[in-house]
Amino acid sequence: MLEPTIAYLGPEGTYSDEAARQFAEKLGLENPGYVPCNSFDEVFDCVDRGKCAFGVVPTENSIEGAVTSTLDNFAFSSSAVILGELVVDIHHCLLMHPDATVADITTIASHTQGLAQCRRYINEYLPGRNLVTTSSTAESAAKAAADIHTAGIANALAGELNGVRLAEEDIQDQFGNQTKFALIGRAGTTVNLTGTRYKTSLALFLQADRVGALLMILEEFAYADVNITMLQSRPTKQALGDYMFLMDIEGSVNDVRVQTALNCLRLKLREVKVLGCYPVE
């Protein structure tokens, strides 16, 4: 029997790939199929059209903040829902051709965030090298494998997949760098994931912009004794100054308190879209 397929932002060896493998392990999948995609939009499309059973997308980084393209897909263009989440520690490594030494390196390649997050290390240990941006950190590992004069900055998985030498580990400027990833699937999909509590993610659309609109939303959750763990606004893409709200709350949609708050908001808002209800650690 074939195991389900999981779409992720490719190529092989990205942090999204690492997250997809961790989700597969949590789901108990022994031999899942992995589908690398060129964009987050493509990951969502694979799930929405049924090409893949699951997708893995980043939602937030501890340094860079929310991944807005992911959030916009949830809010505006996709019917996929969040089935689970996990946090991946970001460990940037310096990757080199197996025969290369530091003296051979003239170019350092990585994704823009990889270069930015390792700026201090580069300036101290590899000053004066040419910096080249790649579409992903994993691509930089492939460049290092093909060129003795190029070093890549990526995770250890990318190094292993591309057969390059892991010259230095944990070269990021800030430790504690983490990215939160969501496992997505079509509505009605059930998975065997466990956690100590439940979280519900929401997209809230106003009837009209007016004084106290946000306060009204917050009061409904306060009255129902529901804790809000994340709140941010995003433009609706309909008109300048027109915003909606993305929110994470503690609890399940099956909890009476959560149901009370959501039912009250449905009477006052244009739309209350549940993006997912899932267990978390």
Side-chain angles (χ1 to χ4, degrees):
M1 180 178 177
L2 293 175
E3 295 280 22
T5 53
I6 305 175
Y8 68 93
L9 181 66
E12 282 189 311
T14 59
Y15 286 100
S16 291
D17 182 11
E18 185 176 335
R21 293 166 189 251
Q22 290 188 35
F23 270 123
E25 184 176 350
K26 285 179 175 290
L27 293 170
L29 304 179
E30 295 183 0
N31 189 31
Y34 294 102
V35 179
C37 298
N38 294 319
S39 67
F40 298 136
D41 291 349
E42 187 179 343
V43 174
F44 278 94
D45 188 60
C46 283
V47 173
D48 286 331
R49 296 173 61 186
K51 179 180 178 181
C52 297
F54 304 111
V56 171
V57 289
T59 57
E60 183 180 3
N61 177 263
S62 59
I63 295 175
E64 304 295 333
V67 182
T68 55
S69 58
T70 295
L71 300 183
D72 284 352
N73 267 287
F74 279 128
F76 305 117
S77 58
S78 175
S79 59
V81 296
I82 303 172
L83 305 173
E85 73 173 27
L86 62 78
V87 175
V88 173
D89 294 326
I90 304 301
H91 296 289
H92 290 311
C93 304
L94 183 69
L95 305 176
M96 296 166 55
H97 188 281
D99 299 327
T101 66
V102 173
D104 294 317
I105 301 303
T106 59
T107 300
I108 302 171
S110 191
H111 187 272
T112 52
Q113 290 189 8
L115 293 172
Q117 293 171 9
C118 299
R119 186 178 294 109
R120 188 181 306 138
Y121 177 90
I122 294 171
N123 290 339
E124 183 172 354
Y125 296 102
L126 296 164
R129 269 66 170 190
N130 183 37
L131 303 182
V132 173
T133 58
T134 55
S135 61
S136 68
T137 53
E139 185 187 345
S140 75
K143 287 185 174 293
D147 183 2
I148 196 172
H149 299 294
T150 298
I153 294 176
N155 59 11
L157 174 63
E160 178 183 345
L161 292 172
N162 286 277
V164 294
R165 181 165 64 88
L166 199 161
E168 191 77 37
E169 294 183 82
D170 286 328
I171 66 171
Q172 63 272 8
D173 296 341
Q174 291 183 270
F175 290 91
N177 186 2
Q178 297 178 311
T179 297
K180 185 186 299 179
F181 288 87
L183 177 72
I184 63 173
R186 301 177 83 176
T189 301
T190 58
V191 293
N192 184 27
L193 293 174
T194 59
T196 58
R197 56 191 174 87
Y198 266 81
K199 176 191 289 187
T200 299
S201 296
L202 305 166
L204 307 177
F205 296 85
L206 301 173
Q207 293 279 11
D209 185 24
R210 62 179 178 82
V211 174
L214 177 57
L215 177 61
M216 175 270 293
I217 293 172
L218 299 179
E219 284 180 337
E220 292 296 347
F221 290 107
Y223 292 152
D225 195 27
V226 174
N227 188 38
I228 299 169
T229 59
M230 186 278 289
L231 171 65
Q232 62 178 295
S233 62
R234 290 290 298 151
T236 63
K237 307 181 188 300
Q238 300 298 316
L240 184 65
D242 190 16
Y243 289 87
M244 50 79 64
F245 298 100
L246 291 154
M247 181 180 291
D248 289 341
I249 60 174
E250 290 182 351
S252 165
V253 291
N254 296 318
D255 296 344
V256 173
R257 290 181 299 177
V258 173
Q259 288 181 353
T260 299
L262 296 184
N263 287 337
C264 290
L265 287 173
R266 288 187 176 104
L267 297 174
K268 299 177 179 180
L269 300 179
R270 175 163 58 87
E271 183 182 1
V272 175
K273 184 178 181 181
V274 177
L275 305 180
C277 175
Y278 44 95
V280 293
E281 299 296 334

